[in-house]
Amino acid sequence: SADGGRNLNLDSVLMGLPMSDPTAWATAMNNLGMAPMGMTGQPLLPDFDPALGMMTGIPPINPMMPGLGIVPPPIPPDMPAAKEIIHCKSCTLFPPNPHLPPPATRERPPGCKTVFVGGLPENATEQIIMEVFEQCGEVIAIRKSKKNFCHIRFAEEFMVDKALYLSGYRIRLGSSTDKKDTGRLHVDFAQARDDLYEWECKQRMLAREERHRRRLQEERFRPPSPPPVVHYSDHECSIVAEKLKDDTKFLEAIQTLLTWIERGEVNRRTANNFYSMIQSANSHVRRLVNEKAAHEKEMEEAKEKFKLALSGILVQFEQIVAVYHSASKQKAWDHFTKAQRKNISVWCKQAEEIRNIHNDELMGIRREEEMEMSDEEIEDPSEMKETEESALVSQVEALKEENDSLRWQLDAYRNEVELLKQEQGKASRDDDTTKEQQMKLLQQALQGMQKHLLKVQDEYKKREAELEKVREEKLKMETLLENLKEQESSTSRVCACSQEKECPVEKTLSNSPVKSEREVLLVGIISTFLHVHPFGASIEYICSYLQRLDSKICTAEVEVLMTRLQNTFRQELSGVGASLEKRWKFCGFDGLKMT
């Protein structure tokens, strides 16, 4: 791209001058008036005549002429890059010292097409500048200053890299050696608003193209939109009603019906049509339920097949493991080589691991089947008890089966231990260590099985105790229900008698200032307390004493009760000034005399 490094490829019309060509190299040395020498110092052409200043038969080569490029092709790193003299009509450009470092440049602005050219001769004109730099490409504008510099704007960005190649060249106008006719060119990147604007426009155009490309790609991968739903009419309604009756076209028809209802097509005129369509849609509920039941049945059958197949595989694994164990016994084990014994032991371990995995999987399926419970809500407590009892019974049965299987495995391990003990005396010294390890492993397994068996037995006892508790609770519930029924019958008889007696009692309670038995108790306790304190006591003192007996008693309740009983309690003011205090006294004996 044009924004890349300084070394750019030139147009296909221009071709580079290879530095390995001795004729071109000699021509460049001849233009400088030097004896043609190779890179290693040997003379390239023996017939060079320094007096003539040029070689006979070889015309001077201008690298800016058609067919040659300004920028030479890349050369090996161990050879110095040599620039050549450039001849123009009005001036000559001499290259800088090849051993000097390349001239420094500023950071390239984005979309740069303008260069700064400094070090121009004082007598340089725009025509001469155009003559020099038009060989790099099409020049759009030249802005020359009075202080020996100018700005040149090219048509394309890659032309700027060609112009930078001329940085460091010494320029001489004609054959004059006057200072006003000589100078050293310095070419650098320049920042121009037009370049930045064109670059931003180009970036926006590329962004638009990218968005357009992405939009096309998204539209290509987007799923097709569903067909539009037709508007409601009597004809379309009859078509949808027929489709609703067909099982294959039901889904399409129900979507159309839903859209019509959401659009608000239902009114008094069309209500009957919509009701008939909804009724036909409701007729599919039974079909869907039957289909679901059929699929569930197929799934259960597949589960049963899988369980049967898995149990058959487990039986075969057990047979294979039994073969390995029988081959590991002393009668057959001594006849195998060490490599064969090793292979048999490895195969046995692998088969046992796979068998255990399949056995765990089968046990997990059985546990899932046992733990499946219905989601129906049970309201009757007696039914709840029955279901819990049945669940406990099933768990107890499962524990019994597991207990039996563990006992059988324990017997098998014991038999193996006894066989190993009998064959231990006959075993050779080489196999003593392996036998001891097997004995230890079997003992550990036996201990683990015994612990597991004890746990299972404890769980079994706990479950039996829970069953007994449930049965006792059931009997208690039954007795309670009978007692409640008897109490209901007795209370119904008493209600009639009690209703007649309640009327005068309620009248007396409503007229009395004491409304409950609790208040009667409070009056008695307060009377006793104030009788002990003949000079009276404050309400806070009384409540602090009552709260020791009942923490729920509040001051307001006590004060309201005492104000209601004016013949029993009396409030008096005692003290003077700041020490003024309200005290309650017991006046029950005085009130009895007055009444």
Side-chain angles (χ1 to χ4, degrees), residues 518 546-547 549-554 557:
R518 184 171 180 272
L546 293 173
Q547 283 174 356
L549 303 175
D550 187 6
S551 59
K552 297 179 181 179
I553 295 172
C554 61
E557 181 184 359

Side-chain angles (χ1 to χ4, degrees), residues 470-534:
V470 169
R471 287 169 183 166
E472 291 176 359
E473 288 177 358
K474 188 177 178 182
L475 291 172
K476 289 179 181 178
M477 290 289 290
E478 289 176 355
T479 54
L480 282 171
L481 284 171
E482 291 176 358
N483 293 331
L484 285 171
K485 288 178 181 178
E486 291 176 359
Q487 287 178 4
E488 285 177 359
S489 60
S490 62
T491 51
S492 62
R493 295 172 186 172
V494 174
C495 282
C497 299
S498 62
Q499 283 176 0
E500 296 175 357
K501 296 178 181 179
E502 279 177 359
C503 295
V505 174
E506 286 177 358
K507 289 179 182 178
T508 55
L509 284 174
S510 61
N511 295 327
S512 65
V514 181
K515 297 180 179 179
S516 63
E517 187 179 359
R518 184 171 180 272
E519 290 183 355
V520 172
L521 290 172
L522 283 174
V523 169
I525 294 166
I526 293 167
S527 302
T528 308
F529 180 79
L530 291 176
H531 184 66
V532 177
H533 295 78

Side-chain angles (χ1 to χ4, degrees), residues 17 23 126 167 293 302 317 343 391 411 417 422 511 542:
L17 178 64
T23 306
E126 288 189 8
S167 184
F317 268 116
N343 290 335
D411 293 336
V417 170
Q422 291 175 3
N511 295 327
I542 296 167

